Amino acid sequence: MASFSNFHMIHHILLIFSSCLLIPTSSQSHPHQPQNHVAFFIFGDSLLDPGNNNYINTTTEDQANFRPYGETFFKYPTGRFSDGRLIPDFIAEYAKLPLIPPYLQPGNHQFTYGANFASGGAGALDEINQGLVVNLNTQLSCNPRDISERRKEIWERMDNPSKYGFKEAKIACCGSGPYRGCGGTFVASFQAIETPLWRHSQLSDTIQASFWRRCCKHSSDVVQAPFHTESSAFWPYGETFFKRATGRFSDGRLVPDFIAEYMNLPMIPPYLQPGPQRFIDGSNFASAGAGVLPETNFEVISLPQQLMYFKGMVKVLKHQLDDAEAKKLLKRAVYLFSIGGNDYLHFYDENTNASQSEKREYVGIIIGNLTIALKEIYGLGGRKIAFQNAGLLGCLPSSRSGTKNGACAEKPSALARLHNMALAKALKELESSLPGFKYAIFDYYKAISQRTDNPSKYGFKEAKTACCGSGPYRASNCGGERGRKKFELCRIPGDYLWFDGGHGTERANRQLSELLWGGGPSSTAPRNLKQLVELEIM
């Protein structure tokens, strides 16, 4: 503990809550269920956990993935709190079932035999080890009844689509190949029976949720780069700086990487990166495709889930430091946000003819949820908030590819402008009402507009077409699905504003980070990030 508690007072910490402008797709097969088959579902704590805690960021006190656990039967640690098998393992054997794997085990999508949701250290109450384990409510968020009922419904609609208002139940609305089964970056949804998860709003009468979604809100809590059809986990992502793919949606570094450099910090790793982490430098909770609202994309880590992870990190910090030192660190820390763009792209895709009042109401929902999150961070000690506002959404290569003659799509950009005005107002009100609350807003919208209108002034040769991808404006398919499909790659990424259909090149990211860090009032206000970092909060 002493090695952490005596760090210098000039040490800064950077925490990132963010998203990339990517809306991934996924698909699941439906295995044949044997006749008279009985499935086995398990909920509970360490007495029943087969290793779910291997896949969440927690302390070693709540994990059993090291020796001598597992030595008697498995001959290696599996995450079970025993030298061998647990009660559910024997029950599965008696029922002539295979061992039921942890629900959070990557690649585990075979639920016909059952699933094990148990988590070592979990309690019936949410506050028991909150943020460090999977509590009972979270285990139940994808409970067996929901799976069974959904499956009975993902089949009734397929057998009798017209009864539920569908014309087609075999071929997807958007995609390629047989039955349009292969998707790209963005997916168009068709009308469904279900309504969105936000309640008590007239929007639920006009906004329809996509039927083809997985039932569990927390299904992707285990990976920070979930199952994208267009993934940054392989070449050519990372080619310029890292010379390998790191999971960043760019040819090199992102804005937080440069900001960490300016703060004399190491690169801030993903929060879900396996192994021990040095949280006194900060953590990155961002998830590609994420929204402020979970229903924007259930396949990734939404802002509420990122906030849940942050709360878990706070507990780890208090475990590593004493409470006073942890509180001091959190108070001095800077919290960087870039989120909301995916929410507005999702809204636009499903509501192209929304009225102005509906747009304003939706913006109000986004800002309201952001405000709630910021107040929670404030309650945990956070005081210095930095925001990158919503960008020029209609001028992304992915947006241009769907318009006549490749013009910018005005409606998504108009939503971004509404958001940015409301965000500035909300942060100003929070600074007035919360003692010690300070903020900075980087005008990302303006910076991208300037580079789109006059790329050569900023050293770019191309601001409409992406460096990497295929189709109009190379708007999608960067990497060609791990090389299985053809795609184009520019020779010099730094000549381009965009690396793929929705993400900037390293050169663009460096320019943006310089504006965020040291820009004047016309780019970052009411103070820049450097000034925010240097503020002493009483």
Side-chain angles (χ1 to χ4, degrees):
M1 181 179 295
S3 62
F4 287 103
S5 61
N6 292 327
F7 61 86
H8 296 299
M9 290 300 295
I10 60 171
H11 183 88
H12 300 296
I13 179 173
L14 177 63
L15 299 120
I16 301 106
F17 302 80
S18 182
S19 65
C20 292
L21 293 174
L22 178 69
I23 300 182
T25 62
S26 69
S27 62
Q28 286 182 292
S29 60
H30 301 279
H32 178 69
Q33 183 171 313
Q35 192 173 11
N36 300 323
H37 177 78
V38 176
F40 186 26
F41 295 97
I42 304 109
F43 304 84
D45 54 23
S46 57
L47 296 179
L48 307 181
D49 179 6
N52 276 306
N53 282 13
N54 294 351
Y55 309 107
I56 62 175
N57 209 333
T58 185
T59 64
T60 55
E61 295 174 2
D62 293 310
Q63 290 181 317
N65 56 354
F66 48 87
R67 291 183 57 84
Y69 289 109
E71 64 174 352
T72 299
F73 180 80
F74 299 99
K75 310 303 181 186
Y76 64 91
T78 64
R80 290 167 170 83
F81 284 86
S82 172
D83 62 309
R85 290 167 288 181
L86 303 178
I87 288 175
D89 301 320
F90 290 105
I91 297 298
E93 179 184 328
Y94 304 154
K96 294 181 169 52
L97 294 172
L99 290 180
I100 307 300
Y103 175 71
L104 295 183
Q105 179 176 296
N108 174 30
H109 305 302
Q110 172 61 276
F111 300 126
T112 56
Y113 295 113
N116 191 324
F117 304 90
S119 173
L125 301 179
D126 289 355
E127 53 266 33
I128 304 300
N129 288 327
Q130 187 174 24
L132 295 177
V133 299
V134 185
N135 59 47
L136 182 60
N137 278 333
T138 303
Q139 294 179 34
L140 290 171
S141 68
C142 197
N143 63 61
R145 183 176 179 276
D146 285 345
I147 297 173
S148 175
E149 290 300 316
R150 294 273 182 141
R151 183 178 291 132
K152 180 180 177 182
E153 289 171 9
I154 285 180
W155 289 113
E156 286 183 357
R157 284 164 174 77
M158 290 180 71
D159 291 339
N160 194 1
S162 61
K163 177 181 175 181
Y164 297 93
F166 300 108
K167 294 181 180 179
E168 179 55 63
K170 295 181 179 178
I171 299 175
C173 169
C174 176
S176 61
Y179 301 97
R180 297 181 190 153
C182 299
T185 305
F186 296 93
V187 60
S189 301
F190 57 88
Q191 186 173 0
I193 302 302
E194 298 173 294
T195 54
L197 294 184
W198 58 85
R199 304 294 187 191
H200 315 300
S201 167
Q202 66 182 24
L203 283 178
S204 61
D205 295 328
T206 59
I207 304 173
Q208 299 297 319
S210 168
F211 178 69
W212 297 108
R213 279 184 179 151
R214 295 166 70 184
C215 72
C216 183
K217 296 186 206 176
H218 301 278
S219 62
S220 59
D221 280 3
V222 297
V223 285
Q224 200 145 335
F227 314 105
H228 302 310
T229 55
E230 180 170 338
S231 171
S232 62
F234 53 89
W235 188 88
Y237 288 103
E239 62 164 352
T240 297
F241 181 79
F242 299 99
K243 309 303 180 186
R244 61 181 176 83
T246 65
R248 292 166 169 82
F249 280 89
S250 177
D251 60 304
R253 289 164 290 184
L254 305 180
V255 168
D257 299 320
F258 290 109
I259 296 300
E261 178 185 325
Y262 305 153
M263 292 175 66
N264 296 317
L265 294 172
M267 285 190 181
I268 308 300
Y271 174 73
L272 295 182
Q273 179 175 293
Q277 289 197 28
R278 180 181 166 88
F279 291 130
I280 64 169
D281 291 327
S283 191
N284 192 324
F285 305 90
S287 175
V292 173
L293 304 179
E295 54 266 33
T296 289
N297 189 351
F298 287 129
E299 300 297 325
V300 298
I301 308 168
S302 66
L303 182 60
Q305 292 168 294
Q306 293 181 34
L307 188 60
M308 180 186 74
Y309 287 141
F310 171 70
K311 291 176 181 177
M313 187 212 71
V314 171
K315 289 200 171 187
V316 173
L317 276 175
K318 289 182 177 179
H319 182 79
Q320 293 176 339
L321 315 171
D322 59 38
D323 283 359
E325 289 294 337
K327 184 177 180 181
K328 190 183 301 182
L329 183 147
L330 293 168
K331 190 175 181 180
R332 292 179 55 84
V334 172
Y335 302 78
L336 176 60
F337 287 79
S338 175
I339 197 164
N342 287 315
D343 297 283
Y344 295 115
L345 288 172
H346 174 77
F347 177 87
Y348 170 71
D349 285 345
E350 296 194 352
N351 304 275
T352 55
N353 296 315
S355 68
Q356 193 67 12
S357 63
E358 289 168 344
K359 294 175 185 175
R360 291 187 181 279
E361 183 177 358
Y362 187 76
V363 170
I365 291 171
I366 299 300
I367 297 298
N369 280 273
L370 276 175
T371 301
I372 290 171
L374 293 177
K375 286 183 176 179
E376 287 200 56
I377 289 175
Y378 179 87
L380 292 167
R383 294 296 183 269
K384 302 177 184 181
I385 306 295
F387 257 94
Q388 176 172 292
N389 69 15
L392 193 62
L393 299 177
C395 291
L396 299 171
S398 56
S399 297
R400 289 182 187 273
S401 66
T403 64
K404 186 177 181 180
N405 299 323
C408 292
E410 169 56 21
K411 290 182 179 179
S413 296
L415 281 169
R417 291 194 296 271
L418 286 175
H419 169 86
N420 293 342
M421 288 188 290
L423 177 65
K425 181 181 178 182
L427 290 174
K428 186 174 182 180
E429 290 174 353
L430 286 174
E431 187 171 82
S432 298
S433 61
L434 300 178
F437 182 95
K438 301 295 179 182
Y439 72 94
I441 302 179
F442 166 49
D443 197 344
Y444 179 55
Y445 186 100
K446 180 179 178 181
I448 294 299
S449 298
Q450 291 171 334
R451 285 155 179 78
T452 298
D453 294 340
N454 193 359
S456 61
K457 179 180 177 180
Y458 300 93
F460 299 106
K461 294 181 179 179
E462 179 56 61
K464 294 181 179 180
T465 299
C467 168
C468 176
S470 60
Y473 301 95
R474 296 180 189 154
S476 62
N477 198 39
C478 179
E481 295 184 9
R482 298 183 182 269
R484 290 190 291 267
K485 292 187 176 181
K486 291 183 178 180
F487 68 99
E488 298 175 271
L489 180 65
C490 70
R491 189 170 65 87
I492 304 176
D495 287 345
Y496 287 70
L497 177 63
W498 303 106
F499 185 67
D500 65 13
H503 310 97
T505 58
E506 179 178 91
R507 183 175 189 176
N509 291 333
R510 180 186 285 278
Q511 291 183 10
L512 299 175
S513 64
E514 288 172 351
L515 291 172
L516 171 58
W517 177 253
S522 63
S523 61
T524 310
R527 55 187 65 83
N528 59 39
L529 188 56
K530 183 175 186 293
Q531 293 167 334
L532 188 67
V533 167
E534 292 172 349
L535 275 178
E536 289 294 335
I537 304 297
M538 302 305 292

